[in-house]
Amino acid sequence: MMGGMAGLEGMEQPQRTGTAAARRVPSINDESVAKAVDLFGNPAVDEVRLPSRPESAGTARRLAECVVLRDWGLTPQLAEYTVLLVSELVGNAVRHTGARTFGLRMLRRRGWIRVEVRDPSRGLPCLMPVAALDTSGRGLWLVDQLAQRWGADLLPRGKTTWFEMRVTEP
């Protein structure tokens, strides 16, 4: 994967040692995860509303990690990809919509997970070409590369941007 991934500012990045990369092990027992769930709710139960501020990306990542690992018991790799893609969608909602809040919802059905970010803007996300040396604009490119499906659905007041990933059932 790439170093310094967009949307993960302030999140611990993997450190390279020799030819093997040391991976961040998700810490679902972390006190900050429990605090986030207590404060905002569980996005797998109902839509969670978060303030449209950059620090909400960290909260959304913790909630997503908690759902994928603890609630759904899925793989650390799927959790890693989900956390990255949640960060990208939340980053877009915070940067580009002018909203005061956004919603996060996570759904699971046999063989799939779906993550939705809802905001009041009707401006649709646009997948742009990305060059090797670009330092921004990789968010939707990453979503397009890692998710099996993604899109945006217009609502009467806003839109829902979503991605789906295939899950190997335990």
Side-chain angles (χ1 to χ4, degrees):
M1 193 111 17
M2 307 164 223
M5 291 182 255
L8 290 179
E9 296 83 6
M11 187 171 181
E12 183 179 327
Q13 296 291 311
Q15 300 298 313
R16 300 216 178 266
T17 52
T19 58
R23 292 188 171 248
R24 175 184 176 276
V25 177
S27 53
I28 57 172
N29 295 322
D30 187 325
E31 187 177 313
S32 65
V33 171
K35 185 177 178 182
V37 172
D38 288 345
L39 189 58
F40 295 102
N42 184 329
V45 174
D46 200 7
E47 180 180 88
V48 171
R49 299 298 301 174
L50 296 168
S52 190
R53 296 191 307 252
E55 56 269 22
S56 291
T59 301
R61 285 191 295 268
R62 286 189 290 280
L63 292 170
E65 182 177 81
C66 178
V67 167
V68 172
L69 292 174
R70 188 181 69 192
D71 296 355
W72 294 343
L74 300 173
T75 67
Q77 182 179 32
L78 185 67
E80 182 180 339
Y81 288 173
T82 302
V83 165
L84 174 61
L85 301 188
V86 162
S87 190
E88 297 301 340
L89 294 189
V90 167
N92 284 347
V94 169
R95 279 189 296 275
H96 302 299
T97 67
R100 286 184 290 164
T101 64
F102 64 89
L104 173 67
R105 176 138 174 112
M106 299 178 68
L107 306 160
R108 182 169 181 205
R109 67 181 191 273
R110 185 167 180 77
W112 292 91
I113 65 167
R114 179 180 173 107
V115 177
E116 302 175 345
V117 173
R118 187 167 59 94
D119 65 67
S121 169
R122 290 181 54 87
L124 294 174
C126 182
L127 180 61
M128 302 296 286
V130 178
L133 298 177
D134 288 350
T135 58
S136 65
R138 295 183 184 274
L140 288 178
W141 181 83
L142 286 170
V143 173
D144 191 60
Q145 295 299 303
L146 296 176
Q148 274 71 45
R149 296 188 289 239
W150 73 275
D153 300 326
L154 284 175
L155 305 170
R157 292 192 176 117
K159 70 176 171 303
T160 299
T161 307
W162 54 269
F163 67 85
E164 294 180 339
M165 291 195 291
R166 194 166 274 123
V167 174
T168 303
E169 299 295 329

